[in-house]
Amino acid sequence: MPKITIAPVSRIEGHGKISLFTDDAGNIVDARFQVTQIRGFEHFVVGRLFSEMPEITSRICGICPISHQLASAKACDQILAVAIPETAARLRRILNLGQLIQSHALSYFYLSAPDLILGMDHPPDKRNVFGLAESNPQFMRDGIALRQFGQEIIAHLAGRRIHPRWVVPGGVLAPLEATARDHLLHQLPEIKCIAARHLASFRENLDRQGESIAFFANFPSLFFGLSNDTRTLEHYDGSLRIIDANGATLENRPTSEEYTDIIDERNEPWTYLRFPYYKPLGYPHGMYRVGPLTRLNIAAKCGTPMADQALAELKKIDPQPLLSSFFSHHARLIEILYAIEMIEQLLEDTSILDPNVHARAGVNNREGVGIIEAPRGTVIHHYRVNGDGVMEWARLIVATGHNNLAMNRGILQAARHFIAPAQLTEGMCNRIEAVIRTFDPCLSCSTHAVGSMPFIIELIAGDGRVIDRVSR
């Protein structure tokens, strides 16, 4: 069967490739997003002390180490069988929101904005953060400021921006200092204005994105994420909610351990990324999505004034769940604004300085499950230990895995619309990559050489002949 290969996919976090399969008539009949590297964390943590897990698993990623650290710590809290101090829980929330701001800013301003601002067909040597900074320096200054603020939140709470050692089983290691709190509160008004300005600009330019909205993973699916009793936007705690494409609730499980009743995984021989699915519908029909758009589809409100107004505007587009993953960009900007407002609320409460932030205990349970909402979606850490607290088994389901079925279906939908196999162009293939970027996949902690990422697409006939080739 003839095949088009895009390898590697650029402007994502990690290494992967896209293969598009055509029939003899040139019609695209299948699409695969293939992850070409293996990590192995679930295996090499076996034999380590469970108390080491938050620090070890944070090394899964250099972009979102906090996400794994928090999910891991919540699993370890269950092994300790403790209720962590309320101040520790709120500090963890602030840390998670700081992580969300810096990661969403990276995704929108650095990885996706070159397509959205400069255009999908803009010359690839300029379609990057440096080309964007050259054409619109204030835009990039704002993106840098938002990301820097998110990283400062992490640094002021946890001691350093990347791979901090502050979150531990039972809470956090040290309370927040008053000087750090005051410093962050002083920055918040300006940061809030930046976030609101770019959200408004994105909303004003939505009319120009009709084709992307229509064909960037725009199809019915289920949506899975954390939710609370009031259906307020949730990132740290809550029940496990699954809704269908019409907004009807299919699942609302109150405890994290119940995820095994509703979620399972399947392996395929052509990728190292697993395929989670909703068990009652089976594989692959139980496809669902996670992430910022899913969270806003599930939520009835955000719980902060400006974000609530922004969410109401988003839901005017369609009162039912929004199905196009293109709106994930919109959702990220709303969540940035929400995170800034929520951090402000949490910091203004003086009890955030309470020094009681760590509950200590030994092994009281042999099993623990920790679930949080990372920037890209739901992250699950599931551990089993022996009586000495030594890890015997681990299962990690990350956001990109949850989205795997939807990403593959999304690139198939986009390829059928945008790709003309008889005459490949770089812009066509960039649109397929852009679909993946709406999911903001995080495949590893790898970095990328901006502007010089190798890019080769070949259309190969059934007899092995190269019919067409595009490179940069």
Side-chain angles (χ1 to χ4, degrees):
M1 179 183 294
K3 180 174 75 170
I4 302 168
T5 301
I6 303 173
V9 180
S10 58
R11 280 188 283 127
I12 63 172
E13 291 149 21
H15 296 289
K17 69 177 182 178
I18 295 171
S19 296
L20 306 176
F21 298 86
T22 66
D23 60 19
D24 291 337
N27 302 307
I28 293 173
V29 296
D30 196 10
R32 293 176 178 176
F33 176 53
Q34 297 171 273
V35 178
T36 55
Q37 60 198 68
I38 187 168
R39 304 287 285 161
F41 270 79
E42 291 173 316
H43 297 283
F44 65 67
V45 298
V46 173
R48 307 292 300 199
L49 289 173
F50 82 96
S51 57
E52 298 177 304
M53 291 299 288
E55 184 176 355
I56 291 173
T57 58
S58 75
R59 264 60 180 182
I60 291 172
C61 180
I63 300 298
C64 47
I66 302 302
S67 303
H68 290 287
Q69 196 169 62
L70 288 172
S72 178
K74 289 185 70 177
C76 294
D77 295 342
Q78 287 195 0
I79 292 171
L80 296 176
V82 297
I84 72 171
E86 179 58 30
T87 299
R90 284 184 286 149
L91 287 171
R92 285 183 180 182
R93 283 184 179 271
I94 295 172
L95 190 71
N96 196 34
L97 294 171
Q99 166 72 23
L100 181 140
I101 292 169
Q102 73 90 12
S103 182
H104 278 357
L106 172 66
S107 174
Y108 179 72
F109 287 90
Y110 292 67
L111 304 183
S112 292
D115 295 328
L116 302 175
I117 305 300
L118 300 176
M120 296 285 179
D121 297 299
H122 199 75
D125 61 330
K126 293 290 188 179
R127 196 180 61 228
N128 51 56
V129 293
F130 299 124
L132 194 52
E134 182 180 341
S135 67
N136 194 337
Q138 187 58 50
F139 181 93
M140 284 311 306
R141 278 195 289 267
D142 288 348
I144 291 168
L146 283 170
R147 185 156 193 251
Q148 181 180 20
F149 178 72
Q151 291 176 319
E152 281 197 29
I153 291 285
I154 297 170
H156 280 289
L157 267 66
R160 61 188 186 194
R161 299 180 181 189
I162 300 175
H163 303 313
R165 305 174 68 179
W166 181 66
V167 177
V168 292
V172 297
L173 279 179
L176 176 64
E177 296 290 339
T179 53
R181 168 181 171 266
D182 294 343
H183 175 76
L184 294 171
L185 281 171
H186 178 73
Q187 295 185 68
L188 278 163
E190 181 182 358
I191 294 297
K192 191 189 303 180
C193 287
I194 292 173
R197 182 167 68 245
H198 284 279
L199 174 58
S201 176
F202 183 89
R203 193 164 49 225
E204 289 168 3
N205 288 288
L206 264 180
D207 290 344
R208 297 166 45 199
Q209 305 293 344
E211 192 174 28
S212 296
I213 292 171
F215 295 101
F216 277 25
N218 186 2
F219 44 74
S221 75
L222 307 180
F223 298 95
F224 170 51
L226 291 180
S227 181
N228 55 44
D229 293 340
T230 61
R231 289 188 60 202
T232 304
L233 183 60
E234 182 59 67
H235 293 88
Y236 179 76
D237 214 349
S239 59
L240 309 178
R241 188 182 294 270
I242 294 180
I243 64 172
D244 66 16
N246 297 314
T249 299
L250 302 183
E251 300 284 353
N252 188 28
R253 302 294 182 117
T255 61
S256 57
E257 302 95 303
E258 293 185 72
Y259 88 90
T260 57
D261 295 334
I262 57 177
I263 301 298
D264 205 352
E265 299 175 283
R266 179 73 65 89
N267 291 322
E268 293 286 359
W270 43 269
T271 179
Y272 287 118
L273 189 59
R274 295 171 182 162
F275 291 83
Y277 62 94
Y278 178 50
K279 287 171 71 172
L281 293 183
Y283 178 85
H285 303 293
M287 175 188 67
Y288 59 86
R289 285 180 264 190
V290 301
L293 181 60
T294 285
R295 290 190 287 261
L296 296 188
N297 279 337
I298 289 174
K301 57 184 178 180
C302 290
T304 61
M306 296 174 72
D308 275 341
Q309 183 178 352
L311 180 58
E313 291 292 329
L314 181 69
K315 290 186 180 291
K316 285 181 182 178
I317 297 172
D318 192 336
Q320 300 295 321
L322 290 167
L323 302 182
S324 173
S325 286
F326 180 84
F327 286 109
S328 295
H329 300 309
H330 198 159
R332 286 185 188 97
L333 293 172
I334 293 175
E335 284 202 321
I336 288 175
L337 182 59
Y338 160 80
I340 294 167
E341 289 187 290
M342 183 54 67
I343 288 170
E344 186 173 42
Q345 288 183 16
L346 291 166
L347 289 178
E348 285 178 340
D349 185 341
T350 56
S351 66
I352 200 68
L353 301 176
D354 191 321
N356 179 27
V357 293
H358 191 185
R360 291 170 171 81
V363 175
N364 290 300
N365 288 322
R366 298 291 184 87
E367 197 162 353
V369 178
I371 302 179
I372 68 154
E373 286 292 330
R376 290 154 189 83
T378 314
V379 172
I380 301 172
H381 280 229
H382 186 177
Y383 305 154
R384 292 181 190 142
V385 302
N386 66 19
D388 296 319
V390 175
M391 291 288 297
E392 295 185 331
W393 176 87
R395 185 185 196 187
L396 311 177
I397 308 180
V398 302
T400 301
H402 290 297
N403 282 326
N404 201 7
L405 280 169
M407 286 192 294
N408 279 272
R409 182 167 173 183
I411 59 175
L412 177 60
Q413 179 190 48
R416 284 174 167 169
H417 177 76
F418 292 111
I419 294 287
Q423 189 178 4
L424 287 172
T425 67
E426 193 276 341
M428 289 178 188
C429 295
N430 183 49
R431 285 168 172 81
I432 310 307
E433 293 188 71
V435 175
I436 295 296
R437 287 192 282 269
T438 66
F439 291 93
D440 190 23
C442 190
L443 309 181
S444 76
C445 54
S446 300
T447 56
H448 301 278
V450 178
S452 61
M453 175 66 74
F455 179 95
I456 299 173
I457 311 106
E458 291 183 337
L459 175 61
I460 303 172
D463 60 5
R465 291 179 297 110
V466 177
I467 299 174
D468 201 357
R469 187 177 190 273
V470 176
S471 64
R472 69 166 180 253

